[in-house]
Amino acid sequence: MPRVPVGAVMTLAASLLAPASAWAGMPHGGSVVGRQPACTTPAASDDRAALWAPPLDRIVTIRLEEGSVRDAIDRLATAARVELSYSAELLPTTRRACLVAARVPVGAVLETLLAGTGLRPIVLASTQVVLAPSRVSRGTREGQGSRHASVLDRVVVTGSPDGAPQRGSPFALDVIDGAQLSQHGAGTLGEALDLSVPGIWTWANAAGSITARYGSIRGASSFGVSAPKLYLDGIEVANPLLVTQLDPARIARVEVIRGPQGAALYGADAISGVVNILTRSDGTSDGRAQRQISATAGVSNTAYAPRDPLVQEHAASLRRGSPSRSLGMGLTLGTVGAFVPGASERRLLADANARVTRDHAVLSGTARLSLQQANASTEPVPDGGDDYGVAGSGQDVAHYTVGGNVAIMPSLRWTHTIIAGVDGYRVRGLSAAALPGPLQASSAAQIGDSDGAADRASLRFRSVGRFDLTPATLLTLTLGAEQAITGEVLGRASASVLAAPRGGGTGAPGPGALTRPLLGASREQTTYANHGLLAQGVMAWHDRWFLSAGARVERTTGATPLPQQSVLPMLGATYVRDLGGAAVKLRGAYGTGIRPARTLVRNATWMGAASWASAANLEAERQSGTEFGGDVLVGSRLSLHLTRFDQRAAGLIQPVSTLTTTVASNGRPVRRMAYTLQNVGAITNRGWEVDASTRLARLSLSGALSLVESRVAQLAEGYRGELRVGDRMLDVPSSTMSLSAAYGSGRWTLTTAAIRAADWVGYDRAAIADALAATTAPRELDGPALRRYWLSYGAVTRWRAGVTYRLRGDLSLLVSGDNLLNVQTGAPDNTAVMAGRTMTAGVRTVF
C-alpha cells in the first residue's frame, strides 16, 4: 500500500477529497486486544459502529499474531478497504501488536493500535483516512487513548490555503458532501446552497434566464448581483452568476464561508462569502475503472403553455486510479421544455481532472466546460393572462475553467502551494433581473443583441509553516501572493428597447411611447488586474484555544479610472472542549470585504448596460462585521450550530431610473428611461442562523433556519433613488429555512426535502408593466416614484421527494418529484414564471 508524508496527504485531501458526512464519538467497552502478550477474541459489537464517522464505522474481523504496528495498520486497511495514509517515522518501531478483532468498527481498532503514539485518525473522504499528529495525545500517558475523530477534525480548504482541520476555524464553515447532493438529487448550485447552508438563498430561475440570482447572503451586499466569490477546484471563477450546474456524481464537496470574514484570504469580490466546489479525484478502492451512468426523463406542469413540457437529464462519469494516481471525467446533458412559450432550455456540462502523488508533492489538474441556452420567451403576467415580456433570442452562455495546482512539502513543517488557471465565459443576452422591469422590446431591438465575453487568468501562491513554540503551543503561519488579470469585451445592442403594447405587439412606437436606450452600437474592451499580498497566523494552545489574525493588501486597476487600494483584516478566536463522546465549540470572528465599483458580475447583467458616465465617482462596495456562534456535537447522533451575525455594508450600487422626454423627428414626444448607477449609502445586515442534523439508525434528519433583517441605515450624498433610511432592502427574505430527511432500509432509500422563503419586499412588476404600456405621466416611474410600486410578498415553499430501489447489484431505479406544491409564480416577483410540478423516473448503474 502506498504511503506518503502526512502533510502532503492532508494537503491533497484538502484540495481534492470529500469530507466525512457524519460525526464520531468515543466508543465504549472493548472488543479489540492490542499490545498484549496473549491475543483474545472478544464478542461482536456492531452497535458501536454508530459512534464512528464513516469509514471508521466499517465492521471488520481481523487477526494478527505478534506483528508490528505498521503491519497491523496495513492489514486493517486491506480488510476494511480503507485508504490509510501515515508517516512511518511516527509509528513505534519496537512495539509488537497481537491483534484479534471480531466484528469491530475500524475506529475502535485504530484507537487501540494508536494508543500512546501521538496519532489520531482524521476522516477525509468516503475511503480516505489520515493518521495525523495530535497535540492532545502528546501530553497523555500511554494507554490513555487520544481524542477521537469528529467532523471538527476534517480538513477543509476554504478556511485555509493549504487545508486545515475545521476544529480551529473562527467562523462558520459549511461543507456539503457530494453524497448528500446525490441523495437528494441536487443538480444545481442554488439547490445545494438552499438545502444545506443557512443564510444563503437563491431564487429559482425564471423562464428564459439561466444565470443565478442570489436573494440573500446574510442580507444584501449589492443590488441584483449579490454573489459569493466562487472557485472551481481552487481556480477563481470570472463570474459566479454563470456557475449553476452541478453533477452530483462528480462532486466531492462544496465548502462555503458566509460573510466577509473570508476576504482576508480571498481578496476582492469576497464581500459576502466564498464558495469552493471541489470535484472528485479519489480513484477507486481497487484501482480499476468505475463507471456510473444515469438517465432520467419526465414531465413538468405549466399553466402558461399549451402542453406540459418534457424534461430529461442524462449523465455519465468515469473514475479510475489509486491514492497515488487517479483520473476522473464526467458528462451531463439536459433539456427543459417550453413551460412558457419559446422558453425551452438546453445544457451540457463536461469536466475532467487528474491527480498524481509523489513523496513530497501532489499535482492535480482540472478542466470544465458548461454550455447553456435559454431560448426566447414572452414572460406572462399571471394575473392578466396576456403575454407581456421580453421578445428576443434569449440567453446563451459558454463557460470554461482549466488549470491545476501543485502542493510541495519539503518537510513536515512547510507546505508550498501554487494554483494557476484560466476561467472565462461567452454570454449573449444580458439578464435584466436587476432592473424594475419587465422590459419591453420591439422587433427591431432585442436584448439578445447585447453580449459579453471575459477571460480571467489567476496565479496564487501560498506558503504555510507550522512551528512548535512550546510542547502545548502550535503556530501556523500563512504567507501568500496572488495576481489575477482579466480581459473583458462587452457588446451593446444598437437600438433602444421599446415599451410594446400589452399582448406583445411590436409595431412602431406611437405617441408617448417609452424607450430604453442600450447605449448604442459599441464594443467596449477593458482589462482588469488584481494584486494581493496576505499574511495570517493561527495560534493553537493545547488543541483547545485558537487565536487567528491576518490581513490582505489588495490593489485593483482597470475597474475605475484610478487604482484602488484596500486593506482587508480578519480577527478570530475559538475555544473547543471535548466532553467524553461530545464536543463543544465557541467561536467569533471579524472581517472586511470589498467589491470594486466595476466588476464582471455587474457587467454580465443588463445592470452593466447603465451609463458609466459617473463610474469615476462611484465608491467600491464594502462590507464588514462580526459573527459569534457555537457548535455542539454529540457523537454521530446530533450536531447543532448557532451563529449570530452583525454586518454593515457601505457603498452599495443601485441602478436608479430617470425618465426623460424628447421630441422625435416627426414632432411626437418620446419618453426614455435611462439608468444611472449610484451609491446608496449604508445597509445593516443582522440576523441568526441555526442548522442541526441527527442520525437515528437508518433515518437521518437535517434542517436550517435563517432570520435576517437588512435595512437602509444611511443614504449617500447625491443619491436620487427610491430608498429611504429605515427601509428594508428589496428582494431579501426575512426568513429562510430547509428541512430534509433520508431513510434507507434494504433495497429502498427514501428522501424528501423542503425549502421556504418568507416575507420580502420587491417590485410590483405587473403594475410597472401596466404603467409602461399606458400613457403615464413622465415622472410616474422616475427614481423616488418607484416606491409606490413596492409590494410585500408572503412566502414560497418548494418541496421535493424521491425513491430509489436497488434492483440488483449496482443497478437502481429512481423516481422523484420536484416542486410538488406546484408553485409556478410569486418568487421573487409577480411576473417571474418557474417550471411547475416535475415528475421524473430513471435508472442508475455503476460498473
Side-chain angles (χ1 to χ4, degrees):
M1 171 183 170
R3 287 180 291 276
V4 299
V6 171
V9 176
M10 293 180 68
T11 300
L12 164 67
S15 304
L16 301 171
L17 297 180
S21 59
W23 312 92
M26 176 156 329
H28 303 283
S31 52
V32 180
V33 177
R35 301 182 290 104
Q36 298 180 10
C39 298
T40 61
T41 304
S45 55
D46 300 284
D47 57 325
R48 292 174 51 192
L51 300 175
W52 292 94
L56 298 178
D57 60 348
R58 295 186 179 181
I59 301 298
V60 295
T61 297
I62 183 172
R63 181 182 183 92
L64 177 65
E65 297 183 359
E66 291 300 323
S68 67
V69 174
R70 179 174 173 176
D71 291 338
I73 290 176
D74 290 346
R75 286 278 302 276
L76 176 63
T78 301
R81 300 182 68 183
V82 171
E83 300 167 15
L84 283 174
S85 301
Y86 58 90
S87 175
E89 290 79 6
L90 298 178
L91 294 177
T93 58
T94 59
R95 179 191 298 177
R96 308 296 292 174
C98 181
L99 177 66
V100 176
R103 298 196 55 78
V104 177
V106 172
V109 179
L110 282 175
E111 180 187 47
T112 300
L113 290 174
L114 299 177
T117 65
L119 298 175
R120 73 174 187 272
I122 295 179
V123 176
L124 302 178
S126 58
T127 61
Q128 180 81 35
V129 176
V130 169
L131 305 184
S134 169
R135 307 200 61 78
V136 172
S137 297
R138 293 177 184 177
T140 60
R141 297 189 306 272
E142 183 162 329
Q144 282 185 322
S146 62
R147 176 166 57 76
H148 301 272
S150 77
V151 73
L152 295 180
D153 295 318
R154 65 183 170 190
V155 173
V156 291
V157 68
T158 306
S160 178
D162 74 326
Q166 195 173 348
R167 184 177 180 87
S169 171
F171 41 76
L173 247 175
D174 296 276
V175 179
I176 310 171
D177 190 84
Q180 181 181 356
L181 298 178
S182 297
Q183 191 176 55
H184 289 280
T188 68
L189 179 60
E191 291 172 344
L193 296 177
D194 291 346
L195 182 64
S196 304
V197 182
I200 298 183
W201 179 262
T202 61
W203 298 110
N205 282 347
S209 176
I210 53 180
T211 57
R213 185 175 179 185
Y214 291 82
S216 176
I217 308 176
R218 285 187 171 175
S221 62
S222 193
F223 282 82
V225 294
S226 291
K229 193 167 188 177
L230 200 145
Y231 291 82
L232 291 169
D233 285 328
I235 300 170
E236 182 182 350
V237 169
N239 189 334
L241 296 181
L242 303 181
V243 180
T244 58
Q245 300 184 82
L246 293 179
D247 178 4
R250 294 283 298 128
I251 297 298
R253 66 185 186 275
V254 179
E255 298 179 356
V256 184
I257 296 176
R258 311 187 297 275
Q261 286 76 13
L265 281 176
Y266 294 96
D269 289 329
I271 182 174
S272 57
V274 178
V275 173
N276 195 5
I277 301 173
L278 302 170
T279 55
R280 295 187 64 175
S281 59
D282 51 344
T284 58
S285 59
D286 55 6
R288 298 179 181 177
Q290 183 181 88
R291 305 167 184 86
Q292 178 171 315
I293 298 176
S294 64
T296 59
V299 177
S300 288
N301 287 358
T302 180
Y304 305 101
R307 61 179 61 88
D308 291 341
L310 296 175
V311 297
Q312 59 179 330
E313 184 167 290
H314 312 291
S317 63
L318 167 70
R319 290 190 302 121
R320 68 175 305 165
S322 64
S324 61
R325 187 186 302 266
S326 64
L327 171 69
M329 59 185 67
L331 178 67
T332 301
L333 301 170
T335 64
V336 178
F339 56 91
V340 171
S344 61
E345 179 185 340
R346 292 179 290 178
R347 56 184 181 268
L348 177 148
L349 174 64
D351 71 275
N353 55 22
R355 182 194 67 191
V356 177
T357 303
R358 298 304 184 193
D359 287 342
H360 298 283
V362 180
L363 299 88
S364 62
T366 187
R368 187 178 190 270
L369 175 65
S370 174
L371 302 176
Q372 292 180 271
Q373 181 185 62
N375 293 329
S377 67
T378 53
E379 191 173 286
V381 177
D383 57 2
D386 296 327
D387 288 342
Y388 187 86
V390 179
S393 55
Q395 295 183 6
D396 295 315
V397 174
H399 176 244
Y400 74 92
T401 307
V402 61
N405 67 73
V406 56
I408 303 172
M409 191 170 186
S411 67
L412 289 176
R413 173 167 292 180
W414 283 99
T415 302
H416 310 295
T417 306
I418 300 174
I419 302 176
V422 180
D423 183 275
Y425 64 85
R426 306 292 183 268
V427 58
R428 181 180 60 85
L430 301 179
S431 170
L435 301 178
L439 295 176
Q440 305 308 308
S442 73
S443 58
Q446 297 180 350
I447 289 287
D449 292 336
S450 297
D451 55 46
D455 301 283
R456 171 172 289 171
S458 59
L459 176 65
R460 300 165 58 200
F461 172 77
R462 300 287 191 270
S463 191
V464 179
R466 298 171 180 83
F467 306 93
D468 291 307
L469 303 184
T470 70
T473 307
L474 174 68
L475 172 64
T476 302
L477 181 64
T478 300
L479 303 174
E482 181 174 350
Q483 178 169 332
I485 299 177
T486 305
E488 179 193 27
V489 177
L490 197 61
R492 308 296 191 189
S494 58
S496 297
V497 180
L498 308 178
R502 184 136 182 161
T506 57
L514 283 171
T515 70
R516 297 184 183 182
L518 287 180
L519 300 185
S522 66
R523 295 191 70 81
E524 180 182 359
Q525 188 167 357
T526 309
T527 299
Y528 306 88
N530 285 82
H531 311 272
L533 295 175
L534 68 93
Q536 179 171 301
V538 179
M539 185 82 72
W541 186 63
H542 283 290
D543 203 34
R544 179 177 297 180
W545 296 90
F546 301 86
L547 179 63
S548 305
R552 179 184 175 110
V553 179
E554 189 85 6
R555 187 174 190 268
T556 303
T557 59
T560 54
L562 296 177
Q564 294 181 329
Q565 292 88 18
S566 57
V567 178
L568 309 177
M570 193 280 289
L571 294 171
T574 304
Y575 172 75
V576 182
R577 183 69 182 272
D578 296 292
L579 302 172
V584 177
K585 176 179 177 179
L586 302 177
R587 49 183 165 77
Y590 167 85
T592 296
I594 191 171
R595 177 182 288 125
R598 191 172 188 180
T599 65
L600 293 176
V601 176
R602 185 169 288 112
N603 288 355
T605 67
W606 203 84
M607 181 179 178
S611 172
W612 279 101
S614 60
N617 300 321
L618 286 173
E619 299 178 4
E621 296 175 325
R622 179 182 294 267
Q623 183 168 221
S624 60
T626 59
E627 69 167 70
F628 298 94
D631 309 307
V632 178
L633 304 93
V634 182
S636 62
R637 298 182 295 275
L638 175 68
S639 66
L640 175 65
H641 311 272
L642 175 67
T643 303
R644 164 70 182 183
F645 63 90
D646 193 332
Q647 301 166 180
R648 184 180 178 91
L652 269 63
I653 297 173
Q654 180 189 25
V656 177
S657 61
T658 303
L659 282 176
T660 59
T661 302
T662 59
V663 179
S665 58
N666 58 7
R668 294 179 176 179
V670 176
R671 284 179 293 153
R672 299 181 181 275
M673 178 180 289
Y675 289 93
T676 303
L677 300 183
Q678 297 182 8
N679 291 115
V680 172
I683 310 295
T684 57
N685 296 309
R686 301 187 177 99
W688 294 88
E689 298 165 341
V690 183
D691 63 287
S693 63
T694 185
R695 189 174 67 179
L696 304 172
R698 298 183 178 91
L699 176 66
S700 61
L701 302 170
S702 62
L705 171 67
S706 177
L707 304 176
V708 178
E709 184 179 35
S710 184
R711 292 187 178 273
V712 179
Q714 180 182 348
L715 294 178
E717 184 178 354
Y719 172 69
R720 297 294 181 265
E722 73 266 35
L723 292 172
R724 297 292 180 266
V725 173
D727 285 343
R728 293 178 56 185
M729 286 294 290
L730 302 177
D731 293 339
V732 177
S734 64
S735 66
T736 58
M737 66 177 297
S738 67
L739 292 171
S740 62
Y743 179 82
S745 178
R747 297 175 179 265
W748 293 92
T749 301
L750 288 78
T751 61
T752 185
I755 56 176
R756 178 180 176 86
D759 186 20
W760 68 94
V761 176
Y763 290 116
D764 184 348
R765 293 181 183 260
I768 292 176
D770 290 335
L772 287 171
T775 305
T776 309
R779 296 297 177 186
E780 180 75 14
L781 297 173
D782 199 359
L786 279 174
R787 293 180 64 89
R788 72 187 65 183
Y789 293 99
W790 285 4
L791 183 65
S792 294
Y793 289 87
V796 59
T797 302
R798 296 179 66 89
W799 174 36
R800 65 190 312 166
V803 178
T804 301
Y805 178 73
R806 183 168 55 84
L807 295 173
R808 68 175 186 275
D810 292 315
L811 177 62
S812 300
L813 175 65
L814 317 172
V815 178
S816 65
D818 193 13
N819 193 10
L820 293 176
L821 300 180
N822 204 27
V823 177
Q824 299 185 38
T825 59
D829 54 64
N830 54 6
T831 62
V833 177
M834 301 164 287
R837 182 187 298 111
T838 303
M839 305 299 298
T840 60
V843 295
R844 180 176 62 215
T845 183
V846 179
F847 60 95

